[in-house]
Amino acid sequence: MLAALAVLCCLLGSFPRAAKAAEPPDPTKLCALSLTCSYQTIALEGTQLRLYRVADGTADTGFTLSGAFASFPVVISGLSASGWSTAAATLASYIQPNGIAATASTQTNATGIASFSNLTQGMYLVVGDTLKIGRNSYFLEPFLIALPTLSKTGAWQYDVHAFPKIVDPEEGI
């Protein structure tokens, strides 16, 4: 009976669990974000990227729209993957008509990498311009990212690397 209980405990310990931080993030730490922009094997050099801080909070406390985005009727909690995409696209649609300035902007380098540093904690919207290379155009789908992020092991990551979804709108035509 004890042997069976020991085996059960070992098995239960091997199942993946949802990541949960042992402690809240250090509010004094600044964050950094690196983005690799590529389509299949093509590094998208020269892609103009803009970053907008859209919400206060962290992954453990939840987020509240803030700053120029505070008054917009967009839900950013309890969303599915498609809900996050819709929220990002909706927030991006408010930028130009409302004259919202980017928190930071940069271009990707020759390897398709762009970096942002000295970012305060919160949720950010990443938006990119369409990049034309030869006869092809590449579009970065707007997305939301929390800084810092919580790793699978439950540790806070203040330097985050992401791979935006890039679409070739002419593919399949």
Side-chain angles (χ1 to χ4, degrees), residues 9-164:
C9 287
C10 288
L11 285 175
L12 289 176
S14 68
F15 288 115
R17 292 186 282 267
K20 182 164 174 70
E23 56 189 57
D26 179 348
T28 65
K29 286 191 175 183
L30 293 175
C31 299
L33 176 63
S34 304
L35 302 170
T36 298
C37 297
S38 62
Y39 182 77
Q40 297 173 352
T41 60
I42 303 167
L44 300 180
E45 177 182 5
T47 302
Q48 182 67 40
L49 299 171
R50 290 176 308 286
L51 198 62
Y52 298 86
R53 189 169 185 283
V54 298
D56 295 329
T58 59
D60 67 331
T61 61
F63 295 97
T64 305
L65 289 176
S66 62
F69 296 88
S71 64
F72 300 133
V74 178
V75 175
I76 57 168
S77 61
L79 299 175
S80 64
S82 64
W84 282 110
S85 294
T86 300
T90 302
L91 289 169
S93 74
Y94 289 122
I95 293 169
Q96 188 175 8
N98 291 285
I100 300 172
T103 303
S105 64
T106 193
Q107 283 190 346
T108 55
N109 64 19
T111 60
I113 297 174
S115 297
F116 299 94
S117 59
N118 297 318
L119 301 170
T120 58
Q121 295 178 26
M123 184 174 290
Y124 289 83
L125 172 66
V126 180
V127 178
D129 291 346
T130 299
L131 178 67
K132 187 144 180 81
I133 300 174
R135 296 173 58 154
N136 294 328
S137 297
Y138 301 95
F139 173 75
L140 180 144
E141 288 190 4
F143 69 97
L144 294 165
I145 189 162
L147 298 177
T149 60
L150 196 55
S151 73
K152 292 179 182 179
T153 62
W156 290 105
Q157 295 179 315
Y158 298 90
D159 295 327
V160 177
H161 194 96
F163 298 83

